[in-house]
Amino acid sequence: MTTAIIANLEKLLGGPRDGALLRYSLGNEYLKAGNAAVAASHLRAAVERDAGYSAAWKLLGKALAESGQSTEALAAYAQGIVVAEAKGDIQAAKEMAVFARRLRRQTPANGC
């Protein structure tokens, strides 16, 4: 099912509906399909199109963490927390803080 959804969403790329929501949706579907690296690229595109999209920052952090990019994931969570707090999205900020804390504990001491 996810493959069909991805195919349908990819048809919209480059068109008038190609925006933050489409990129977020693609990132979410790729993450469900187990392709965190491709998910991260679409989620990066989502936050480039709408830097205030706190849900996209949160999912970007998750995708980066799942693809082994801990430092980048922590940076995405940090930016996402700033964005979420600025919007008053306190729940999302709290969730990202928890995810970042967990990731720091899992990551060997390497300056993170």
Side-chain angles (χ1 to χ4, degrees):
M1 181 69 170
T2 298
T3 306
I5 294 170
I6 290 171
N8 286 332
L9 291 172
E10 285 183 337
K11 290 177 188 173
L12 301 173
L13 291 174
R17 292 176 142 176
D18 190 356
L21 181 58
L22 174 62
R23 297 301 178 130
Y24 174 84
S25 300
L26 267 166
N28 190 36
E29 292 303 320
Y30 271 109
L31 203 53
K32 287 181 197 175
N35 195 336
V38 175
S41 71
H42 284 294
L43 292 161
R44 275 194 184 101
V47 297
E48 286 170 6
R49 285 167 169 76
D50 182 358
Y53 197 168
S54 54
W57 283 108
K58 183 169 76 170
L59 207 56
L60 174 58
K62 180 178 179 180
L64 290 167
E66 286 187 16
S67 64
Q69 300 175 62
S70 300
T71 303
E72 294 87 348
L74 289 169
Y77 285 139
Q79 183 60 38
I81 290 167
V82 170
V83 166
E85 287 175 345
K87 290 176 51 179
D89 192 354
I90 303 306
Q91 183 61 34
K94 286 180 182 178
E95 289 173 9
M96 285 184 271
V98 168
F99 297 151
R101 198 167 34 253
R102 287 180 188 157
L103 185 57
R104 278 190 208 97
R105 281 197 297 254
Q106 294 169 359
T107 305
N110 60 1
C112 289

